[in-house]
Amino acid sequence: MKDIINVSSLDDIESLFARLDGGEEITIDRIKLDLFNNVNFKIYGDPSRYNGTLPSPLAQGLCEFQTEIYKVFTLIKYKTDNLQRLTGKDKEEAEIIFTINEGCTDILAALTELFEAFGKAFEKVTHGMSPSQKTLCFLFAVTVIGGAWVGTSYLEKKAEVEVKQEETKLEEAKIKSENERMTILRDGMLEAIRAKAGIDAVERAEGIQEHTAKAYTGVLKGASDADKIVISGASTVELSNKEIHELIKNPIEKAKKEERNLELVIDGIKRTAEKITLSCREPSSEDSFPVSVDTSFIDDKDEIAILFDTMKENRTVKILGSYTIRAGVIENGNASTITRP
């Protein structure tokens, strides 16, 4: 009998990811997920609109949330987001039941059965993914939907806490810490999937992230006049009206700069007097991005020769440099050192 792995906290997700990343084979049927059973939207604003009521724009937003979750399910099961592939049974399995409570407009979206359906869909994938890769992608989906759909770079840093009680400060610090952990986990899982899994897993993971962001943005659009929205799953995000509108305009988080030493495939080289521009991609990905090499900064002929040799020989190259990364996706880079792997 297989040992069951209980996942009931953020620590458990981090531990399970570390085991998968370390090469341990863990199948989805060994995971008992009890991290969170629903996602909770608390919408505060005009009491004539948000007091246990459902204005039509918000109803439309919830429909958009469901549609994007259907796309996530379709992507997992059929490797496409074309909803024409969904059967009646598929829709039933991926359907979300919303409950509306009074006070503010407090909406609970039940996710227990949805995650069970995700797990079964991943288990049925027969091409291009190992059992552990399926488990990693499943864990990635749970993490993204549970709170890592939005990066912490979107959240304003409050200069002062209005309520000066120590308890409140500690709670805010805890929430911020959990959001940061979720974002780090998401990016780490996506990086592991890209480095170790095949293109099928990479495409599914990137699609899960994209459609989940659109799902949540649909709800935000439906309540864009709210004073604030608090969204709770595995972590909690509180959005002001300004932040709501910023996310609606840019559902994928802001870019950040990171120093990395990456092993890359070079698909193309363009050279001018001042610089060399490389078209690069990670070995497990088909998505390319530009990397600039300042020839006045890197004047070692051996380093330049490595670039042309590795492209001609269809081999990889290690490029240390500053990379622009958005939601775990590399957009461009500036090289500082070039070496062979």
Side-chain angles (χ1 to χ4, degrees), residues 32-316:
K32 183 182 178 184
L33 192 66
D34 193 26
L35 180 63
F36 65 105
N37 299 318
N38 54 60
V39 62
N40 181 208
F41 300 91
K42 285 191 176 181
I43 302 168
Y44 298 85
D46 184 345
S48 67
R49 290 174 61 77
Y50 301 113
N51 185 15
T53 51
L54 189 63
S56 57
L58 181 53
Q60 186 176 340
L62 294 178
C63 289
E64 192 170 330
F65 187 93
Q66 176 68 82
T67 298
E68 293 299 331
I69 294 300
Y70 277 150
K71 289 182 180 179
V72 172
F73 183 78
T74 312
L75 192 67
I76 291 169
K77 192 168 183 178
Y78 301 109
K79 203 195 163 190
T80 175
D81 59 8
N82 186 345
L83 293 180
Q84 291 182 346
R85 293 295 303 272
L86 279 185
T87 65
K89 185 181 178 184
D90 289 335
K91 287 184 178 180
E92 187 178 332
E93 289 179 349
E95 183 183 23
I96 297 173
I97 304 299
F98 295 98
T99 303
I100 301 174
N101 300 317
E102 293 184 3
C104 52
T105 289
D106 185 356
I107 302 170
L108 289 174
L111 298 178
T112 303
E113 293 181 359
L114 176 70
F115 287 144
E116 287 177 2
F118 280 4
K120 290 175 184 175
F122 269 123
E123 286 175 341
K124 290 177 181 175
V125 174
T126 57
H127 177 71
M129 296 176 72
S130 70
S132 288
Q133 287 169 1
K134 295 175 188 180
T135 303
L136 181 56
C137 281
F138 171 69
L139 200 63
F140 177 77
V142 170
T143 303
V144 170
I145 293 174
W149 59 276
V150 59
T152 53
S153 60
Y154 261 127
L155 308 178
E156 289 182 344
K157 293 180 180 176
K158 308 294 190 290
E160 286 183 28
V161 180
E162 288 182 10
V163 183
K164 300 297 181 183
Q165 295 174 353
E166 197 62 32
E167 237 176 74
T168 305
K169 290 182 187 176
L170 289 171
E171 185 60 28
E172 289 199 355
K174 180 185 174 186
I175 289 170
K176 184 173 184 291
S177 173
E178 286 179 348
N179 287 334
E180 287 174 344
R181 284 172 70 191
M182 292 288 282
T183 305
I184 291 167
L185 258 175
R186 178 202 66 192
D187 291 348
M189 286 185 204
L190 187 56
E191 188 174 340
I193 290 167
R194 291 175 132 175
K196 300 179 180 180
I199 189 65
D200 285 2
V202 173
E203 288 181 352
R204 281 182 171 91
E206 291 178 349
I208 287 165
Q209 182 163 266
E210 178 186 348
H211 288 299
T212 300
K214 288 180 179 178
Y216 279 94
T217 305
V219 177
L220 300 184
K221 285 191 292 186
S224 60
D225 60 342
D227 295 335
K228 70 174 181 178
I229 299 178
V230 179
I231 304 174
S232 303
S235 66
T236 300
V237 177
E238 181 176 321
L239 301 170
S240 66
N241 182 267
K242 178 183 175 183
E243 290 163 338
I244 291 167
H245 282 273
E246 185 178 352
L247 271 167
I248 290 170
K249 284 190 292 184
N250 301 292
I252 302 298
E253 72 171 285
K254 293 176 180 177
K256 55 188 176 184
K257 295 278 189 182
E258 286 188 13
E259 193 79 9
R260 290 192 181 182
N261 191 15
L262 298 179
E263 184 171 347
L264 301 171
V265 175
I266 300 175
D267 291 327
I269 299 177
K270 289 184 180 180
R271 187 166 192 173
T272 65
E274 298 82 20
K275 67 175 183 177
I276 295 173
T277 302
L278 310 173
S279 177
C280 296
R281 60 182 170 84
E282 293 180 285
S284 62
S285 175
E286 293 183 354
D287 297 325
S288 61
F289 53 87
V291 174
S292 294
V293 181
D294 187 337
T295 51
S296 65
F297 181 70
I298 298 180
D299 55 3
D300 187 331
K301 291 182 180 179
D302 289 339
E303 288 188 67
I304 304 301
I306 288 172
L307 296 175
F308 288 92
D309 290 345
T310 52
M311 187 182 75
K312 184 168 36 173
E313 297 164 5
N314 198 25
R315 295 164 61 190
T316 58

Side-chain angles (χ1 to χ4, degrees), residues 1-7 16 19 24-33 135:
M1 187 176 177
K2 294 180 179 178
D3 292 334
I4 297 299
I5 302 169
N6 291 300
V7 178
L16 182 54
R19 290 168 66 179
E24 185 175 347
E25 184 165 303
I26 301 171
T27 54
I28 293 173
D29 61 353
R30 289 179 59 193
I31 298 173
K32 183 182 178 184
L33 192 66
T135 303

